[in-house]
């Protein structure tokens, strides 16, 4: 069974491997992620993950399992995407300083035209950040390709005071939820991790 990850995110690739899936293809779905930012964040991530999966599935062989995801950071309903420049990143991090915000990831799993679309929400609270700390974090270069201008798996962990929910969701892939979705299309990650045939029983 071929498994296709419709994402070029190195973090999602790493997480899929951690789940026990060692052999899969990575494709760029080529979807515009800025078309519908007026939607509520939980709807936006589901819509975009669905579009990514559909784009990848058009070129997938019969029986292939396609996995797609989209992640956004939201504060009081406003979506914080990837910063355009350091000034925007500084403003985002200043806004998140000392407050709780939400990270939403939508996941779509497709096989032979059948779709599962779900989302996960995690609450993240930043500690109070000084301007100097924000400047130092910006100097690492890490914020520039991350939604909300931070990466929890990197230096951004130094900013996070508390997390409520799925940690891996903040990295861009809700591992537990995705594992259950994959079981429904006969992909058992624990069996794969154990070195057995991955078909769910």
């Amino acid at each position: 069974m071929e498994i296709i990850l419709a994402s070029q995110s190195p973090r999602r690739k790493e997480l899929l491997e951690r789940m026990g899936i060692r052999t899969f293809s990575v494709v760029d779905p080529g979807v515009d992620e800025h078309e519908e930012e007026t939607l509520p964040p939980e709807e936006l991530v589901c819509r975009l993950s669905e579009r990514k999966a559909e784009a990848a599935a058009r070129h997938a062989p019969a029986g292939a399992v396609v996995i797609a995801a989209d992640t956004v950071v939201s504060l009081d309903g406003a979506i914080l995407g990837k910063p355009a420049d350091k000034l925007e990143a500084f403003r985002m991090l200043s806004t998140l300083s000392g407050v709780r915000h939400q990270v939403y990831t939508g996941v779509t799993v497709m096989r032979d035209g059948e779709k599962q679309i779900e989302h996960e929400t995690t609450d993240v609270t930043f500690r109070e950040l000084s301007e100097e700390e924000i400047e130092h974090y910006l100097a690492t270069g890490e914020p520039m390709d991350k939604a909300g201008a931070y990466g929890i798996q990197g230096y951004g962990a130094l900013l996070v005071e508390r997390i409520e929910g799925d940690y891996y969701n903040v990295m861009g892939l809700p591992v537990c939820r995705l594992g259950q979705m994959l079981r429904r299309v006969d992909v058992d990650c624990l069996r794969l991790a154990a070195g057995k045939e991955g078909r769910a029983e």
Side-chain angles (χ1 to χ4, degrees):
M1 180 190 304
E2 183 170 353
I3 297 175
I4 299 170
L5 175 63
S7 172
Q8 292 190 310
S9 163
R11 294 169 294 280
R12 292 189 179 120
K13 180 177 182 292
E14 175 192 347
L15 290 177
L16 209 57
E17 290 170 346
R18 286 195 200 180
M19 292 173 67
I21 301 174
R22 299 286 185 263
T23 304
F24 57 91
S25 304
V26 176
V27 301
D28 180 0
V31 171
D32 186 346
E33 299 183 20
H34 305 288
E35 290 184 359
E36 300 186 52
E37 291 192 354
T38 55
L39 291 174
E42 63 273 20
E43 292 184 27
L44 176 66
V45 292
C46 286
R47 183 77 60 87
L48 289 175
S49 73
E50 181 182 16
R51 286 188 179 177
K52 291 176 183 181
E54 289 175 341
R58 291 189 193 105
H59 308 288
V65 174
V66 177
I67 302 166
D70 189 79
T71 301
V72 300
V73 172
S74 176
L75 178 62
D76 298 327
I79 292 171
L80 305 181
K82 296 176 183 177
D85 51 36
K86 283 192 174 183
L87 179 58
E88 187 175 13
F90 184 92
R91 288 172 177 163
M92 284 185 184
L93 292 165
S94 299
T95 301
L96 294 175
S97 174
V99 300
R100 184 174 70 175
H101 61 276
Q102 287 69 45
V103 178
Y104 296 87
T105 299
V107 181
T108 298
V109 173
M110 280 188 71
R111 186 178 186 191
D112 292 333
E114 296 294 322
K115 288 183 283 192
Q116 301 175 65
I117 306 169
E118 300 184 12
H119 78 275
E120 189 74 41
T121 308
T122 303
D123 289 333
V124 180
T125 303
F126 272 20
R127 61 181 177 82
E128 293 282 351
L129 307 176
S130 68
E131 289 189 5
E132 182 181 33
E133 286 177 312
I134 294 174
E135 291 287 0
H136 288 165
Y137 183 48
L138 290 174
T140 70
E142 185 175 272
M144 301 314 298
D145 68 337
K146 309 288 192 304
Y150 74 95
I152 197 170
Q153 73 283 356
Y155 301 118
L158 296 167
L159 317 180
V160 176
E161 184 176 76
R162 183 179 304 107
I163 179 171
E164 299 168 65
D166 186 340
Y167 168 84
Y168 296 109
N169 185 53
V170 187
M171 283 183 65
L173 204 62
V175 168
C176 182
R177 181 177 294 275
L178 176 57
Q180 295 304 302
M181 295 171 75
L182 289 172
R183 279 185 59 85
R184 298 181 202 127
V185 291
D186 293 328
V187 178
D188 189 323
C189 294
L190 284 175
R191 285 182 62 84
L192 286 170
K196 301 179 183 296
E197 184 181 346
R199 184 173 295 277
E201 294 181 343

